[in-house]
Amino acid sequence: MLEASMGTMADASVPEPTTNGPKGAIIDWHSIDWSTCEENVRRLRQRIFKATREGDLKKVRNLQKLMLRSHSNTLVSVKRVTQHSKGRKTPGIDGELALNPKDRGKLATEIHRSSQPWRARPVKRVFIPKSNGKQRPLGIPVIRDRVLQARVKNALEPEWEARFEAKSYGFRPGRSCQDAISAIFWTVKGKNPSRRWVLDADLSAAFDRISHDHLMAMLGQFPGRGLVRGWLKAGVMDRGRFAPTEEGTPQGGVVSPLLMNVALHGIEQAAGCRYKEIRAGKTPGAVPGHPVLVRYADDFVVMCCDESQAHQVKARLSEWLAPRGLQINEEKTSIVRLEDGFDFLGFTVRRLHGKLIIKPSQAARKRLRERLRSEMRALQGASVEAVLMKLSPIIRGWTAYYRSVASSKVFNSMDTYMFQLTYKWARRRHERKPRRWVVTRYYGRFNKHRQDNWVFGNRSNGAYLPAFAWTPIVRHQLVKGGASPDDPDLIGYWLNRRRKQAPPPMDRTSLFLAARQKGVCPLCKQALIVGAEYEPESPREWINWFSASKKMLHKHHFTYRRDGGSDERTNLRLVHSECHRQHHAGDGRRVPKSASP
């Protein structure tokens, strides 16, 4: 079987990395040239994308076979699954993980050199809480299946990136929730927009109900279709009981979001959307009188000219979704006027006094207050350092997600609420002390760059809690129509776009170093922020990213401190934590604990 073959064919333009040691030896993880590996995968993805755009399907299939056999693809897939993935510490039904370099090298060696057909293992059923209080089922594949899915994804994704619709933003490289919100803004902004009615639709358990037959028909003669079918039919293990899967793709799999996008491809045409011109790298303009659909994975809104058109679009989409095994959730789907507003991806979109206003939704603000309140209750009796360590990522992450819309008033109100929580915490900690003493001990102007005398912090070391209002409002630049990072003709566009993007709210030294390095790790030559393959799609994911940022990025000294090096910026560079460890593994020195930002 092709999909089980693990040869060593390489990209002809860039040589595959080699590993030292006798044949059959386990790969030395620290000796891998990651810059070359990433370059091999990137170039192959671009070639697949270009061949798809040119309509050369035979060349596309040959390049996909090359990707499935690529040694670089295997190594990069193992790295992303075992180091960058959020679920790297969550095992499948076999309980196996690869959290150290030796295990990663062993896993990569076994996968790449195996000549036996691989049979997909059932996924492990776990449940995570949803924002509405319910639980969402996830299917966690075994670690080997996750690596194979990442390999298949690198072969399949660039083909579909060349086909996907312009206003599809969910789980696609280079696109985010902010792009979807910006697309809505540019569609219905202005004093007199032609589209004043909105179909706010929700699909019922979309991931669990995708038709397997339809999905396989969409994949056509993709070389890895046998592996994809195996994952779809692998079944689920829930509390020791096996259940077959006749429909759906499990949430938790690496390739599942891509399969969802493939299944929903064509929804804009089904809704009746028409555009004047669609060219690579350009934003198409909608034909007057036709609706505009903006989709983020299985969530979408359709902006229509009148109420009757919205009902027609809903009927057409219901008919179009049926063969795909999907249906619209009537309870969560509504047709509203822009003046009444609607919630989408945690934002509230509404026309007010002739202007389109987008701000954090009321439900999102309520969830944040509840989390802050519960965290402060759990921190009763803890030190001020523990409070700062717990709350700082929450503040930074939430503001990073909402800083592209009209959030100034919301940020100020959250600062007021945060002051109430911290003051109450300080008063309980020192019940016998007067109020003036508590204020003097915990509040002051800790940040010399901010004219604020009421900053909560620790006077002994100068650490302080960042304020919501300190995050400036930076309008998001909407990604152009069919632009994709896999398009070799748009390399300059993506470089400029990354350069203009608002930086994450990190400490000043880290921001300075990241800007000086143009957002690139000098050791592996890859982007510094690689915590996920895509932009974080929710405030919770931004918060998780900032919680882990100190473990993901390290400050590396050119001249080591033990050799007399200083902590001045001229002696520092910002690197990935794994690159830092690999660098020191090569020189025999141990990474100091204080290396993190």
Side-chain angles (χ1 to χ4, degrees), residues 290-324:
H290 290 266
V292 173
L293 185 146
V294 174
R295 180 172 69 87
Y296 191 92
D298 57 334
D299 295 328
F300 62 90
V301 294
V302 188
M303 288 148 284
C304 305
C305 299
D306 52 50
E307 186 177 7
S308 62
Q309 186 182 65
H311 285 285
Q312 292 172 6
V313 169
K314 181 181 177 182
R316 286 199 299 265
L317 290 181
S318 297
E319 183 179 353
W320 182 82
L321 290 168
R324 291 155 176 80

Side-chain angles (χ1 to χ4, degrees), residues 325-389:
L326 305 173
Q327 62 182 1
I328 293 177
N329 188 339
E330 296 292 342
E331 295 181 357
K332 297 183 179 180
T333 299
S334 59
I335 296 176
V336 298
R337 298 196 322 158
L338 275 177
E339 285 73 13
D340 298 327
F342 64 95
D343 290 351
F344 186 59
L345 302 177
F347 298 85
T348 294
V349 183
R350 183 183 180 188
R351 276 184 60 82
L352 191 63
H353 305 305
K355 293 183 179 181
L356 186 71
I357 305 297
I358 303 178
K359 59 184 180 180
S361 67
Q362 186 66 37
R365 285 178 269 173
K366 181 180 179 181
R367 287 194 298 269
L368 177 63
R369 289 192 180 96
E370 290 175 350
R371 178 168 184 179
L372 292 173
R373 184 167 60 250
S374 63
E375 295 289 359
M376 290 301 290
R377 286 177 178 174
L379 289 168
Q380 290 295 333
S383 64
V384 65
E385 289 82 5
V387 174
L388 300 180
M389 187 176 298

